[in-house]
Amino acid sequence: MPTLRLALVAALALAATGLAACDRSHESGASQKTIGHVESAAGDLTGSDKLKSQGKHDEVVGGVKSAVGDVKDTVKDAVKK
């Protein structure tokens, strides 16, 4: 069973790495939020409180980055008009 958990964590980490390659603020924030969710789930699976806590932190930070990026995009669109 531990081998299955490690394989799952490794697969989730590889998938999350691909999500981290975004450029814009809101996309980067959304990616970090998703990665945080994956980390939190991996922490649940492995019983790692540290990984779970880090995942929750990344989810919150990613949500803030995403919101800031959305506001920037809205302001840019309003200025263009």
Side-chain angles (χ1 to χ4, degrees):
M1 189 70 171
T3 305
L4 177 60
R5 285 184 180 172
L6 288 175
L8 181 57
V9 169
L12 291 173
L14 286 173
T17 302
L19 294 173
C22 295
D23 292 337
R24 302 173 82 191
S25 296
H26 61 91
E27 291 172 350
S28 176
S31 296
Q32 186 171 3
K33 188 175 178 180
T34 302
I35 290 168
H37 187 74
V38 170
E39 287 175 337
S40 182
D44 278 340
L45 285 173
T46 61
S48 171
D49 290 336
K50 183 177 179 181
L51 185 58
K52 186 175 178 180
S53 175
Q54 181 180 354
K56 293 293 182 186
H57 176 267
D58 284 343
E59 284 185 69
V60 171
V61 171
V64 170
K65 282 183 180 179
S66 182
V68 168
D70 289 342
V71 169
K72 284 181 181 179
D73 287 346
T74 301
V75 170
K76 283 180 186 178
D77 290 342
V79 170
K80 286 181 183 179
K81 291 182 180 182

